[in-house]
Structures are given as C-alpha cells and as structure tokens.
Amino acid sequence: MSEEQSMPWWRRLYMGAKAEIGALARVNVSDRLWQMPVAAALASGLPLLVGAWFDHLDYGLVSSLAGLVFLYMPPTPLSHRMVFLMACAFAMTACYTLGVISHFVPILMMPTLIFIAVLAAMLCRFYGVGMPGSLFFIMVASIGAYSPIGILEVPLMVGLFSMGTLLAGLIGFFYSLHALSLRPAQPVPERPPVNFESMVLEPVVFGTFVGLSLAAAQVLQLEKAYWVPVSCLAVIQGTSLRAVWTKKVHRILGTSVGLMVAWGLLSLPLDKWTIALVMMALSFIIETAVVRHYAVAVVFITPLTILLAEAATLGHGPTAELVQARFFDTVLGCTIGLAGGFCLHDPRLRGPLRAVLLRLTPQRLRG
C-alpha cells in the first residue's frame, strides 16, 4: 500500500484540495515585451477613436473586433510573421463574413459555426498555430451572427472588418521592427506531425460541441448568445482533462468577477470617447495578464467582450439583465465544453469515438 493510500480519507481530501487550489492560483512567468500589450491596445483601440471622431462608434467596433488578429503574430523573422498575420487576417475576415451572412438565415447559423470550428481547428493544427488557436475565428463569427444589421449593410461591415485587419497588420509591422531590434527572432517552427487525431478527431469534436452549445442556446431562446460557443471552445481547447477543468474554473470565476466589473463600467455615464479609452485600457491589461494567469485576464476579457458586442446599443436595456445573460452564457458554454473535454481526453470515450470516425473517414484522409 502506498503512503497516499494509507492516509485517512480526510487527509487525502485535504491534500487534493490543496493541490487543486495551488494549480488554480499558480501565476506564470512572462517574458513578453511591454510594448506588445501597447500595440495590441492600439490595434483594437484606434478604430474606436476613429469611429468616435466620425460619430459612428458602431463602425469602429467592427474594425476593433478585427484588430484581434494582431494577437496571432508569431515571434519569428519579419518575413514569416507578416505573411502569417496576413493569412490569419484573411481567415478571420472570411469567418466574420460567414457569420454575418448566417444571421439572415437562422437555420444555417449552427451548421455555419460547426463548419468554421472544424475547418479553423484543422488549419490551426496543420500550421501549428499557438494560442489563442481557433478561438478568435469562432468569436468573430459568433458576434457577426448576432449583429443587428440589414442585408444591404453586409458589404459595408465586411469592408470595415477588412480595414481593421489592415490596420492591425500595419501596427504589427512597426511593432515587429521595434521588437526585433530588442531581441532576435525565434526560428520558424516546423509543422507538427499530421495524424488522424489532430486533423480529424479533435477538430470534429470541437465543431460538434461548439454546434451543440449554440443549439442549446437556441433551444433555451437566449438572446445574443454569442458568448456560449466562445466559452465552449475556450474550455475544450485544453491540452488535457486537467487543463480543460482548470480553464472551466478559471473562466467561470473570472467571468463572475468580470461581470461585476462590467456592471460597474456600464453603470457609469459612458460616452463614445470614454468607451474607446476604456476598451483600450482593458486590451492592455488583458495582454499583460493573460500569459501570467488566465482567470485574472478573464476578469477583464468579460467587460471588453460585452463592450465589443454591445457598446453601440448601450442604454437600450437594463444593465442587470445583460450581465445575468452573459453569466448564464458562460456557465452553459463551459459546461458543454467540459463534456467535450471528457470525450477528447477520457480513453473510455475517445476510443469508441475514434473507431466511429475512422469508419466514416475515407482511407486517403486517415493519415
């Protein structure tokens, strides 16, 4: 009998709880340049300032959402990072466009999101895209799907999104020149090995559970439930069942505190200029904190996301209802994401699922 097994049950419970709290509270070391959060804040914030100047904050919000593509820039040589950033910009624009189009045919919203989730996961695995992985591709598609626009405004919104990615690319270029003068570029990593699990099994599970989360939101008749599939994917992307569980706890705890922060911000007499400045400050804090502690970052991600999707219509409904809706969206999405994590990382579920997908996959695609 091992030493652990010989302990009283209450002692084992105490040790397990202590280890769990230690894992949740661990703060990581970061070597990120402080200029990176500044550049990220500019990529998302400058469109808001331009929109405020022309009294069209709703236009600025679309371009600000596109500025998230800056976060995909790798620490590689300039030629590689700019090509990589432009490829991500094109992919994010395509995802946003498909999401906006699905808004006009609600029955296609879930299949469209599943398609985007599966394809984005496959491409991210194939090209070795690190975190945030396929998260922002799903996020822009989800927000686009719930955007209250008319069909004739689609070209305008897609154009504004494209201009936002262009601005993010320019900021990324000048930031890269400065960053490479401070530290050498890292070598371009080799592509990860391609196999059935990474290219078929995991993307299909991602897409299935993202689709199920959106279906659950629609069955429950949740209004603007864009945060449900985003929360689901954020949790299910964990590399292990422990990582999935930790992310779920971090996301729910961080969102709970973040909603109180959002409530406080939304209770202030915000105008178009203060909204832009607050969102820039939130972006800076998030990119400073996210590499150190995910839950702390989520505290500020929550109000930022609410402002990205809702700032143009603030004051048109009770703040309390908006905050409560986002909390329920998060819990629902995280719970479904945790179920997806069990399917991916529990051998009793992963094995049969793999066997089923192998039978359904043509031989030439099995790898």
Side-chain angles (χ1 to χ4, degrees):
M1 182 180 294
S2 66
E3 182 180 351
E4 183 178 348
Q5 291 175 329
S6 63
M7 290 182 182
W9 66 268
W10 57 268
R11 180 69 177 174
R12 292 198 302 271
L13 181 63
Y14 168 76
M15 296 295 291
K18 184 179 179 180
E20 185 72 26
I21 293 172
L24 293 173
R26 184 180 299 115
V27 177
N28 302 314
V29 178
S30 171
D31 62 348
R32 176 175 284 183
L33 294 173
W34 67 264
Q35 292 91 343
M36 188 274 177
V38 173
L42 290 174
S44 292
L46 287 180
L48 294 170
L49 295 176
V50 174
W53 177 267
F54 288 103
D55 200 25
H56 269 290
L57 188 62
D58 53 340
Y59 292 176
L61 287 167
V62 176
S63 295
S64 176
L65 184 64
L68 294 172
V69 74
F70 174 84
L71 303 178
Y72 282 100
M73 189 169 58
T76 51
L78 184 62
S79 58
H80 176 266
R81 70 168 66 189
M82 295 312 300
V83 170
F84 193 90
L85 193 61
M86 286 188 290
C88 290
F90 173 80
M92 280 186 67
T93 303
C95 292
Y96 177 77
T97 304
L98 290 173
V100 168
I101 292 174
S102 72
H103 170 75
F104 303 101
V105 190
I107 196 173
L108 294 180
M109 193 179 293
M110 186 176 71
T112 299
L113 207 61
I114 292 175
F115 171 75
I116 292 172
V118 172
L119 186 60
M122 286 181 174
L123 291 175
C124 287
R125 294 301 175 89
F126 185 79
Y127 289 105
V129 179
M131 296 303 290
S134 58
L135 180 64
F136 288 150
F137 299 106
I138 298 300
M139 181 174 170
V140 299
S142 299
I143 293 179
Y146 284 96
S147 298
I149 62 174
I151 193 167
L152 295 180
E153 295 178 282
V154 172
L156 171 62
M157 295 302 162
V158 174
L160 290 169
F161 194 94
S162 301
M163 291 174 67
T165 62
L166 174 61
L167 176 62
L170 289 174
I171 292 173
F173 175 74
F174 290 110
Y175 164 76
S176 297
L177 292 178
H178 178 69
L180 291 172
S181 70
L182 298 177
R183 60 176 61 168
Q186 297 180 15
V188 178
E190 296 183 1
R191 289 182 186 174
V194 175
N195 53 52
F196 180 80
E197 279 72 15
S198 63
M199 291 300 297
V200 178
L201 174 62
E202 293 176 6
V204 168
V205 173
F206 287 175
T208 299
F209 279 88
V210 165
L212 287 175
S213 68
L214 182 61
Q218 291 175 335
V219 169
L220 295 173
Q221 297 182 342
L222 302 182
E223 185 179 0
K224 293 186 177 181
Y226 55 86
W227 202 232
V228 177
V230 175
S231 297
C232 174
L233 185 63
V235 169
I236 202 175
Q237 279 190 147
T239 55
S240 65
L241 194 54
R242 156 66 71 174
V244 170
W245 168 254
T246 300
K247 272 208 165 184
K248 176 184 175 178
V249 176
H250 276 176
R251 196 159 193 90
I252 292 178
L253 292 178
T255 299
S256 301
V257 179
L259 286 172
M260 289 188 283
V261 174
W263 197 337
L265 289 174
L266 297 177
S267 300
L268 298 174
L270 298 176
D271 61 14
K272 57 187 179 181
W273 294 105
T274 52
I275 287 175
L277 294 175
V278 165
M279 293 179 69
M280 291 179 71
L282 289 172
S283 296
F284 175 81
I285 295 171
I286 290 165
E287 294 312 313
T288 302
V290 70
V291 291
R292 292 176 170 85
H293 197 278
Y294 184 68
V296 174
V298 172
V299 169
F300 302 97
I301 289 172
T302 302
L304 178 64
T305 308
I306 290 176
L307 288 172
L308 274 172
E310 309 283 352
T313 58
L314 287 181
H316 295 180
T319 301
E321 290 186 7
L322 175 62
V323 169
Q324 291 171 5
R326 295 296 80 81
F327 178 74
F328 185 78
D329 294 346
T330 300
V331 173
L332 178 62
C334 288
T335 302
I336 296 176
L338 181 61
F342 272 104
C343 288
L344 276 179
H345 303 294
D346 190 323
R348 294 168 296 180
L349 298 175
R350 185 182 178 101
L353 182 60
R354 183 181 186 277
V356 171
L357 288 176
L358 273 174
R359 286 197 296 269
L360 297 176
T361 305
Q363 182 67 38
R364 65 180 182 278
L365 299 178
R366 295 182 182 181

